[in-house]
Amino acid sequence: MKVPMVDMLAGYPPIKDEIENAVKGVFNKANFILGEEVAKFEKEFAAHNGTKYAIGVANGTDAIRMALIASGVKKGDEVITSPFTFIATSETISQVGAIPVFADIDPVTFNLDPKSVEKKITSKTKAIVPVHLYGMPCDMDAFMALAKKHSLIVIEDTAQAFTGKYKNAAGDWKYLGSIGHCGTFSFFPAKNLGAFGDGGAVTTNDEKIYETLKQLRNHGSKVRYHHEMEGFNSRLDTVQAAVLSVRLKHVEKWTEMRNAVAAKYAAALKGVCVTPVVPANARHSFNYYTLRFDSKAKRDAAQKYLTEQQIANQIYYPIALHLQEAYAHLGGKRGDLPVCDAVMDTVFSLPMYPELSDEQIKVVTDAVKKAV
Ligand SMILES: *Cc1c(COP(=O)(O)O)cnc(C)c1O
């Protein structure tokens, strides 16, 4: 049986009318640029996350870039982040003139390891960008403590983790992206809250950062043709905002369905390979479901077999950032970040979306078992 990685259309029929009406509303008003649907969605998104502000932007990459600028990251600053993420996390750091510094990851959560981060802090360090990889919450208490101790900014790359939650030491459950100085989000179709095209957002509780972001996304201007700074053309599209407002109402249910799929995967694969271990103080958003094998040979064999069976699979990510050609100038090599090197050689991700059926789950897990 063919099983896709994601099925964007599986969840569409129940909300089709609602979405199409919302889109028609924008077409009929023709308020395509920063129409009222954008402000409406921003309010709803901030309320969902429990932050004071949300700013809709063109995509999740711009969200990181503008959050860095609005938080005061400048040319020559060092920004510590994970080597085990999509390049958007680090290319934006370089693009604002700062230097990405890669620290090692945790072997269980695959997220940035606070102990490794602390070792990389220098007098030039300005910010930390933890990434909630696959939807797995980072150890935010540790990062916030480091930030306080060293006066650093924390920007949470929450592109894969909207609806994920973290319980802090005080016992409060917080949505991911609402804990650091800024949280950045992507509405790329395959993310937890996907638009019907590109989209992104930044959340913050800091009014000054919020005001700066509002200017940055619109050519540095508050009033048309008055530019207090240079900015970007990076507004959230009004049609996408209308779609997102509808989908936002369903996203919690979808995350529950993803968690149910994950539980079935874990039960079926017990003892076969390592399945995600979600800490007690975390809610995973399961944007991706990632397995770890005890050797590269086993991982590669499993991947080959699933591909032959037409079961979609993907390695997120086959080459860690410190080993990418784009970062050759930083001099990274195998052995520098040993946990990351070992993890990237032994993981791969299974199909994951809310509507995945029991039959599909069985086909996928039987194939993994057979391959191992
Ligand atoms: C998807 C993603 C981004 C970028 O989001 P876009 O909307 O595609 O620009 C950034 N960081 C991570 C970890 C992502 O997965």
Side-chain angles (χ1 to χ4, degrees), residues 66-78:
M66 293 192 288
L68 289 164
I69 298 170
S71 307
V73 174
K74 292 197 171 66
K75 193 167 187 280
D77 289 341
E78 291 176 3

Side-chain angles (χ1 to χ4, degrees), residues 59-61 64 85-86 88-89 131 157 159-160 186-188 191 198-199 317:
N59 53 66
T61 307
I64 304 169
T85 174
F86 183 52
T89 317
V131 182
D157 181 345
Q160 298 178 5
S186 166
F187 305 128
F188 182 84
K191 311 280 177 168
D198 277 308
Y317 293 91

Side-chain angles (χ1 to χ4, degrees), residues 72-93:
V73 174
K74 292 197 171 66
K75 193 167 187 280
D77 289 341
E78 291 176 3
V79 177
I80 303 173
T81 192
S82 175
F84 200 50
T85 174
F86 183 52
I87 194 168
T89 317
S90 57
E91 68 187 353
T92 47
I93 294 169

Side-chain angles (χ1 to χ4, degrees), residues 23-331:
V23 169
K24 264 187 226 154
V26 178
F27 284 5
N28 289 332
K29 279 179 277 185
N31 57 348
F32 299 117
I33 305 299
L34 291 181
E36 66 224 41
E37 285 79 1
V38 175
K40 177 174 173 281
F41 171 69
E42 288 172 341
K43 259 207 183 120
E44 294 163 351
F45 193 71
H48 187 113
N49 286 305
T51 54
K52 274 197 196 152
Y53 310 104
I55 302 94
V57 300
N59 53 66
T61 307
D62 282 0
I64 304 169
R65 186 188 298 113
M66 293 192 288
L68 289 164
I69 298 170
S71 307
V73 174
K74 292 197 171 66
K75 193 167 187 280
D77 289 341
E78 291 176 3
V79 177
I80 303 173
T81 192
S82 175
F84 200 50
T85 174
F86 183 52
I87 194 168
T89 317
S90 57
E91 68 187 353
T92 47
I93 294 169
S94 306
Q95 286 161 358
V96 307
I99 301 149
V101 175
F102 300 112
D104 212 348
I105 61 172
D106 179 276
V108 175
T109 63
F110 310 151
N111 279 331
L112 198 52
D113 176 358
K115 288 194 282 301
S116 177
V117 168
E118 184 153 33
K119 288 191 200 129
K120 303 271 175 178
I121 294 173
T122 71
S123 58
K124 287 187 175 167
T125 307
K126 176 82 188 185
I128 307 171
V129 183
V131 182
H132 306 292
L133 194 73
Y134 314 140
M136 172 73 91
C138 289
D139 183 356
M140 288 309 296
D141 280 345
F143 289 120
M144 297 316 288
L146 272 184
K148 201 167 170 200
K149 185 170 158 198
H150 299 274
S151 304
L152 306 175
I153 298 287
V154 175
I155 296 172
E156 296 174 68
D157 181 345
T158 322
Q160 298 178 5
F162 174 54
T163 66
K165 287 187 209 172
Y166 174 82
K167 187 165 86 168
N168 63 21
D172 301 323
W173 282 94
K174 300 264 186 197
Y175 273 105
L176 301 180
S178 72
I179 302 161
H181 300 87
C182 292
T184 65
F185 298 84
S186 166
F187 305 128
F188 182 84
K191 311 280 177 168
N192 280 70
L193 179 64
F196 287 6
D198 277 308
V202 184
T203 55
T204 185
N205 289 313
D206 185 315
E207 189 182 354
K208 214 171 134 235
I209 291 178
Y210 169 68
E211 292 296 340
T212 307
L213 283 166
K214 263 180 42 177
Q215 278 179 276
L216 281 173
R217 75 165 172 194
N218 199 22
H219 301 288
S221 104
K222 279 188 210 162
V223 176
R224 195 175 282 184
Y225 307 126
H226 294 247
H227 306 274
E228 291 84 12
M229 60 175 86
E230 286 183 336
F232 303 91
N233 176 353
S234 183
R235 300 164 297 231
L236 177 63
D237 185 88
T238 307
V239 174
Q240 299 305 337
V243 169
L244 287 165
S245 275
V246 174
R247 288 177 61 86
L248 183 63
K249 291 189 281 185
H250 301 274
V251 73
E252 285 292 328
K253 175 184 69 202
W254 291 331
T255 296
E256 288 306 312
M257 290 161 75
R258 286 174 184 271
N259 271 272
V261 171
K264 288 174 193 166
Y265 269 155
L269 294 173
K270 202 164 174 224
V272 177
C273 54
V274 179
T275 55
V277 181
V278 187
N281 66 336
R283 182 213 206 180
H284 203 303
S285 76
F286 282 112
N287 190 222
Y288 298 137
Y289 190 87
T290 302
L291 305 176
R292 186 167 180 197
F293 294 82
D294 49 25
S295 71
K296 183 174 190 302
K298 261 194 197 170
R299 188 273 308 268
D300 292 348
Q303 206 200 5
K304 185 164 169 279
Y305 184 68
L306 262 70
T307 304
E308 279 164 15
Q309 300 299 308
Q310 298 197 301
I311 297 167
N313 59 81
Q314 190 65 249
I315 298 172
Y316 304 108
Y317 293 91
I319 306 172
L321 296 176
H322 65 295
L323 304 175
Q324 293 281 355
E325 211 178 316
Y327 294 113
H329 61 282
L330 297 176

